[in-house]
């Protein structure tokens, strides 16, 4: 049985007349790893700062374990933050940085020393206690920032894009370490990022945010496989959007025409009518590229191929001019398979792996359309 | 690094210029002062042999010791007032929106375009018995008859603060500019209230600016002899007045030189303290 730790209800916030958050509500469970994911300006950092107490909402309430903390200043909240640029105290040693929070609690000296040692051991920095922050690498500074925040044993750890300043390899290492820390400490983590890959691999739940609204709230699998709307589908991973048209509705099954192929699918959660157009979504890894003489699929030709190490990513142009992204794993039968540009193929996919979305009034442009629009302007 | 032949003469010229400047305009005059301080007073040639430390012994004359201590007291008071005004001023300045910040700094610098002597005379007009301030206070009914403002210790302090305040604000502004907002937030986040954050984070991180400001105010505040000359009357002398008088009126060059050197050494001591505090913050040599 999960229990609610923090809940935000009806949160609105404006900066200089611009709405950043609009009547947003969210509950965070005790012990979960929840990620706020979205492009810059989506309100994710503002939301985190509200949990920390650095910002106060114009409207709405923040409750922690049932206590209203909407107006409580940060120093009286049992939560701690790991800042984007670490925000270590440059004039203090690593030890003093980590001890700071405990000194503020006026803990006895012996207890402080013991707990600081423990926290530093947890991030593998025992031997660096006497150093100053500027004598550490970025990754080490990051660990100090984490130790400094967890040493107070907060109910919740708020992480504001903590890995964005690190290089790719270090990021991967820190992702694993953060997960390990969270398991060991059992503390609720609220993690802010704009990196969807990071969000998918680390989170128990993901909150997809855009323009101050929650676009979707779900497990990484739900967000990736069953995106709630066009924005989420486009923002999280790559997706092929195929135009579909409903041809028949029979009970819980519907027939959809995609590129002249007739597909039998389960009825989506939104209302459908015969002849209605909708989006048929397929991830590149769901696409099957077949030989040109195959009886299945749609005809097309390879226009792009990218060797990605573990996969071969290709773009296939269909006869109607639309592009399909495919991502195929190398298998042991044919470890050297490759395409040549212009090669004729047929495109198909595994039946039943499609995801349907209703068309939206103001859909964002695809990357290609955006490029075309840019070209037209110049 | 590759050096083209063309760049070499330029490099040499710049080096000669800098070293020449330091040698002839900084080192040589100071050596002359040191030399003068250990020579004997001579009414006709100003200084003559033999070498002795008579001038330094004279510094311990209770009369001059009094002047030195009183001057130090006035300079310290000036510095303290500048710090008390300048610190919050610089903090606020660093938090103002960028465009307006530039305007405010410009306004801070504008007075430098007028000679400080002229500005001190302007201050005299304000503080005079029938000056601007007295007339204003009387017409407001605060006082019935003009107060004695001019030729007091207070007038000298006001003059010094007025002239030296920008020298306190500018270095402080620069350290506040570097003070990162998220470090303050981190302090709050870890349970420190405003006072604790100020004491544990803001003060240590702005200390180099405080020391730089103190250096730029304290020493000149002991040397700006024209301020007591114009505003202070005969009782409120600075070390600068003593030095000036020894050279121009009393014609005791060795003593004037010795007093100068004591001032210079005080300055050097402050600079050394400033360097130490900077090193503690790890700004030098990672």
């Amino acid at each position: 049985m999960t229990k609610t730790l923090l809940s935000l209800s009806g949160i609105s916030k404006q900066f200089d007349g611009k709405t950043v958050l609009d009547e947003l509500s969210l509950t965070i469970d005790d012990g979960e790893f929840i990620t706020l994911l979205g492009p810059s300006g989506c309100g994710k950092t503002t939301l985190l700062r509200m949990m920390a107490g650095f910002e106060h909402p114009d409207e709405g309430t923040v409750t922690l374990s049932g206590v209203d903390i909407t107006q409580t200043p940060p120093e009286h909240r049992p939560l701690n933050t790991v800042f984007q640029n670490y925000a270590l105290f440059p004039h203090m040693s690593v030890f003093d940085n980590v001890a700071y929070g405990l000194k503020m609690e006026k803990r006895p000296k012996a207890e402080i020393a013991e707990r600081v040692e423990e926290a530093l051991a947890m991030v593998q920095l025992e031997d660096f206690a006497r150093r100053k922050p500027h004598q550490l690498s970025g990754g080490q500074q990051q660990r100090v920032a984490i130790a400094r925040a967890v040493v107070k044993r907060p109910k919740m750890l708020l992480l504001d894009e903590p890995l964005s300043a690190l290089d790719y390899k270090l990021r991967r290492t820190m992702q694993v370490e953060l997960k390990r820390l969270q398991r060991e400490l059992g503390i609720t983590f609220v993690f802010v990022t704009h990196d969807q890959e990071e969000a998918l691999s680390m989170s128990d739940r993901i909150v997809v945010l855009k323009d101050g609204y929650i676009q979707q709230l779900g497990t990484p699998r739900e967000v990736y496989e069953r995106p709630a709307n066009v924005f989420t589908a486009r923002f999280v991973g790559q997706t092929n959007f195929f135009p579909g048209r409903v041809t028949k509705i029979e009970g819980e099954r519907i027939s959809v025409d995609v590129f002249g192929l007739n597909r039998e699918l389960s009825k989506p959660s939104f209302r459908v009518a015969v002849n209605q157009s909708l989006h048929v979504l397929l991830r590149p890894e769901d696409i099957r590229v077949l030989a040109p003489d195959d009886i299945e699929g749609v005809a097309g030709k390879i226009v792009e191929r990218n060797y990605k190490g573990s996969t071969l990513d290709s773009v296939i142009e269909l006869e109607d001019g639309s592009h399909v992204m495919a991502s195929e794993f190398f298998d042991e039968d044919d470890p050297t398979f490759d395409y040549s540009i212009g090669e004729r193929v047929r495109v198909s996919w595994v039946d039943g792996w499609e995801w349907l979305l209703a068309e939206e009034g103001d859909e964002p442009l695809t990357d290609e359309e955006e490029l075309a629009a840019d070209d037209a302007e110049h | 690094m590759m050096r083209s032949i063309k760049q070499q003469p330029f490099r040499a010229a710049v080096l000669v210029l800098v070293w020449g400047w330091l040698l002839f305009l900084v080192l040589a005059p100071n050596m002359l002062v040191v030399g003068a301080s250990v020579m004997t007073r001579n009414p006709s040639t100003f200084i003559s042999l033999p070498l002795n430390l008579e001038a330094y012994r004279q510094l311990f004359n209770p009369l001059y010791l009094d002047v030195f201590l009183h001057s130090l007291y006035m300079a310290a008071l000036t510095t303290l007032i500048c710090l008390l005004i300048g610190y919050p001023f610089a903090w606020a300045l660093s938090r103002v929106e960028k465009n307006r910040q530039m305007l405010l700094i410009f306004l801070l610098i504008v007075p430098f375009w007028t000679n400080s002597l002229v500005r001190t005379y302007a201050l005299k007009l304000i503080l005079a018995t029938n000056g601007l301030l007295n007339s204003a206070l009387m017409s407001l009914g605060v006082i019935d008859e003009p107060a004695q403002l001019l030729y007091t210790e207070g007038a000298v302090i006001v003059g010094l603060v007025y002239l030296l305040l920008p020298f306190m604000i500018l270095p402080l502004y620069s350290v506040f500019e570097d003070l990162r907002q998220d470090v303050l937030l981190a302090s709050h986040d870890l349970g420190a209230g405003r006072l604790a954050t100020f004491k544990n984070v803001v003060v240590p991180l702005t200390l180099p600016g405080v020391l730089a400001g103190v250096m730029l105010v304290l020493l000149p505040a002991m040397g700006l002899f024209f301020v007591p000359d114009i505003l202070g009357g005969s009782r409120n002398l600075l070390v600068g007045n003593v030095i000036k008088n020894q050279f121009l009126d009393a014609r005791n060059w060795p003593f004037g030189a010795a007093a100068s050197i004591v001032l210079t050494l005080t300055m050097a001591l402050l600079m050394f303290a400033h360097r130490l505090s900077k090193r503690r913050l790890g700004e030098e040599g990672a």
Side-chain angles (χ1 to χ4, degrees):
Chain A
M1 176 68 200
T2 53
K3 104 179 188 288
T4 299
L5 179 61
L6 184 108
S7 82
L8 303 153
S9 62
I11 300 286
S12 294
K13 180 75 181 176
Q14 293 198 336
F15 287 119
D16 302 325
K18 194 180 160 287
T19 302
V20 178
L21 295 172
D22 199 359
E23 292 195 19
L24 185 145
S25 295
L26 175 67
T27 60
I28 295 172
D29 296 333
D30 200 5
E32 77 172 324
F33 193 123
I34 191 165
T35 298
L36 309 179
L37 175 69
S40 56
C42 70
K44 57 188 190 296
T45 295
T46 307
L47 202 56
L48 194 81
R49 291 167 65 90
M50 259 169 206
M51 297 180 197
F54 305 144
E55 306 278 359
H56 300 286
D58 298 335
E59 275 169 61
T61 54
V62 184
T63 5
L64 181 76
S65 313
V67 182
D68 186 333
I69 57 161
T70 314
Q71 297 302 331
T72 308
E75 57 265 35
H76 295 133
R77 296 187 185 202
L79 322 169
N80 288 112
T81 307
V82 176
F83 291 83
Q84 186 169 6
N85 296 308
Y86 324 136
L88 299 178
F89 304 122
H91 57 299
M92 294 182 197
S93 66
V94 167
F95 183 95
D96 289 335
N97 262 282
V98 179
Y100 191 83
L102 299 175
K103 279 182 189 158
M104 290 304 124
E105 287 178 9
K106 306 228 177 346
R107 298 270 167 195
K109 264 210 158 92
E111 185 194 335
I112 292 179
E114 191 185 321
R115 282 172 68 175
V116 171
E117 292 294 319
E118 196 186 323
L120 285 177
M122 203 152 43
V123 295
Q124 288 134 39
L125 280 179
E126 308 95 312
D127 302 334
F128 294 83
R130 297 280 142 233
R131 301 259 187 112
K132 288 281 178 70
H134 71 96
Q135 295 168 312
L136 302 178
S137 71
Q140 288 167 338
Q141 291 185 27
Q142 178 65 79
R143 288 160 198 264
V144 177
I146 293 167
R148 185 178 70 172
V150 298
V151 77
K152 293 196 56 163
R153 297 178 188 148
K155 288 190 173 175
M156 202 166 170
L157 194 65
L158 309 172
L159 302 107
D160 184 9
E161 307 217 21
L163 308 181
S164 62
L166 304 177
D167 64 51
Y168 182 76
K169 246 191 122 167
L170 203 49
R171 275 178 93 117
R172 300 310 300 248
T173 318
M174 287 305 294
Q175 285 175 12
V176 175
E177 278 209 26
L178 278 176
K179 281 300 285 183
R180 173 182 66 85
L181 266 177
Q182 199 240 348
R183 264 197 318 273
E184 281 175 12
L185 296 166
I187 299 176
T188 309
F189 275 37
V190 183
F191 189 90
V192 163
T193 184
H194 61 264
D195 182 336
Q196 43 99 10
E197 218 178 294
E198 203 165 270
L200 289 174
S201 67
M202 298 176 79
S203 324
D204 295 324
R205 286 199 300 161
I206 296 176
V207 184
V208 183
L209 280 164
K210 185 198 157 215
D211 300 337
Y213 288 100
I214 293 180
Q215 302 290 315
Q216 187 167 4
L217 171 59
T219 64
R221 185 174 284 262
E222 280 165 358
V223 169
Y224 189 75
E225 294 181 1
R226 282 172 281 159
N229 53 35
V230 174
F231 171 79
T232 307
R234 281 201 205 287
F235 191 75
V236 182
Q238 286 187 304
T239 311
N240 289 301
F241 282 76
F242 294 154
R245 194 173 52 81
V246 182
T247 53
K248 203 168 66 182
I249 304 176
E250 246 172 37
E252 285 309 297
R253 306 290 294 173
I254 63 169
S255 296
V256 178
D257 174 279
V258 192
F259 300 128
L261 303 172
N262 193 55
R263 293 287 175 162
E264 292 263 327
L265 304 167
S266 356
K267 208 169 150 185
S269 55
F270 56 90
R271 285 169 59 91
V272 283
V274 172
N275 262 337
Q276 180 190 339
S277 324
L278 37 67
H279 294 296
V280 178
L281 273 62
L282 281 156
R283 296 290 182 184
E285 61 272 22
D286 298 342
I287 299 291
R288 294 287 170 267
V289 184
L290 309 170
D293 52 0
D294 207 290
I295 45 161
E296 275 190 72
V298 197
K301 62 170 198 270
I302 304 282
V303 290
E304 220 179 275
R305 59 158 290 282
N306 290 308
Y307 175 72
K308 286 284 177 67
S310 54
T311 60
L312 183 70
D313 292 1
S314 54
V315 178
I316 299 125
E317 188 176 273
L318 301 183
E319 274 158 0
D320 68 351
S322 53
H323 285 182
V324 179
M325 294 176 283
S327 178
E328 295 166 278
F329 278 96
F330 295 96
D331 63 47
E332 57 261 29
D333 298 338
D334 189 7
T336 59
F337 95 93
D338 202 348
Y339 299 116
S340 53
I341 304 287
E343 189 176 333
R344 303 228 145 254
V345 292
R346 290 183 81 81
V347 171
S348 182
W349 56 87
V350 181
D351 237 342
W353 286 12
E354 306 91 338
W355 178 247
L356 299 177
L357 280 181
E359 289 189 327
E360 294 166 23
D362 51 346
E363 286 184 6
L365 297 173
T366 66
D367 294 348
E368 280 165 42
E369 282 163 349
E370 234 167 72
L371 280 176
D374 275 355
D375 286 345
E377 273 172 36
H378 299 306
Chain B
M1 202 177 88
M2 286 281 290
R3 290 198 196 107
S4 83
I5 298 160
K6 269 188 185 170
Q7 273 174 332
Q8 287 286 31
F10 177 71
R11 201 180 129 87
V14 169
L15 280 177
V16 165
L17 194 71
V18 169
W19 281 107
W21 181 284
L22 287 174
L23 219 61
F24 291 107
L25 299 174
V26 180
L27 188 66
N30 273 301
M31 290 327 287
L32 286 178
V33 175
V34 172
S37 74
V38 292
M39 290 179 84
T40 309
R41 181 183 180 195
N42 184 311
S44 52
T45 59
F46 298 123
I47 46 174
S48 64
L49 291 169
L51 301 180
N52 61 64
L53 291 175
E54 174 61 22
Y56 290 95
R57 201 191 55 76
Q58 234 181 311
L59 277 175
F60 292 98
N61 177 331
L63 182 72
Y64 291 119
L65 213 59
D66 267 1
V67 172
F68 185 82
L69 287 179
H70 187 62
S71 177
L72 191 66
Y73 155 76
M74 285 200 291
L77 191 60
T78 300
T79 310
L80 186 69
I81 294 170
C82 281
L83 187 62
L84 289 178
I85 302 172
Y87 200 81
F89 189 105
W91 197 345
L93 190 60
S94 73
R95 292 286 164 268
V96 168
E97 174 236 338
K98 269 278 167 273
N99 278 333
R100 197 172 307 168
Q101 220 172 75
M102 286 302 120
L103 177 74
L104 288 172
I105 290 170
F106 174 74
L107 289 176
L108 197 67
I109 290 169
V110 161
F112 286 123
W113 296 352
T114 310
N115 187 299
S116 48
L117 196 58
V118 175
R119 283 186 286 140
T120 310
Y121 273 109
L123 209 54
K124 184 177 186 167
L125 292 179
I126 295 173
L127 297 175
T129 311
N130 49 4
L132 223 55
L133 191 60
N134 266 321
S135 330
L137 288 175
M138 280 196 295
S139 60
L140 282 171
V142 180
I143 48 175
D144 297 326
E145 52 190 66
Q148 176 63 42
L149 301 172
L150 207 56
Y151 308 126
T152 60
E153 188 183 293
V156 175
I157 303 280
V158 166
L160 289 172
V161 168
Y162 167 64
L163 290 177
L164 296 171
L165 184 60
F167 294 99
M168 180 63 88
I169 292 175
L170 291 174
L172 282 172
Y173 165 72
S174 133
V175 286
F176 275 115
E177 269 289 285
D178 290 344
L179 184 65
R180 276 169 43 193
Q181 204 59 30
D182 61 351
V183 173
L184 304 187
L185 289 182
S187 172
H188 288 300
D189 189 68
L190 292 166
R194 280 165 195 275
L195 204 65
T197 299
F198 181 74
K199 188 177 130 246
N200 296 309
V201 180
V202 179
V203 169
L205 287 179
T206 53
L207 200 61
V210 172
L211 283 171
V214 166
M215 252 162 54
L216 289 174
V217 171
L218 187 66
L219 268 293
M222 288 170 68
L224 283 178
F225 58 83
F226 58 84
V227 175
D229 274 357
I230 299 168
L231 303 173
S234 57
R235 288 186 313 276
N236 299 297
L237 293 180
L238 298 180
V239 175
N241 294 85
V242 175
I243 297 171
K244 188 202 95 177
N245 291 340
Q246 293 309 314
F247 277 102
L248 299 183
D249 305 330
R251 304 281 162 139
N252 188 348
W253 282 25
F255 183 62
S260 298
I261 282 164
V262 169
L263 256 190
T264 309
L265 287 178
T266 316
M267 176 71 145
L269 209 68
L270 275 171
M271 282 171 84
F272 184 66
H274 181 238
R275 248 180 98 84
L276 279 186
S277 82
K278 267 193 124 165
R279 190 169 300 161
R280 215 168 53 85
L281 278 181
E283 286 177 21
E284 284 172 308

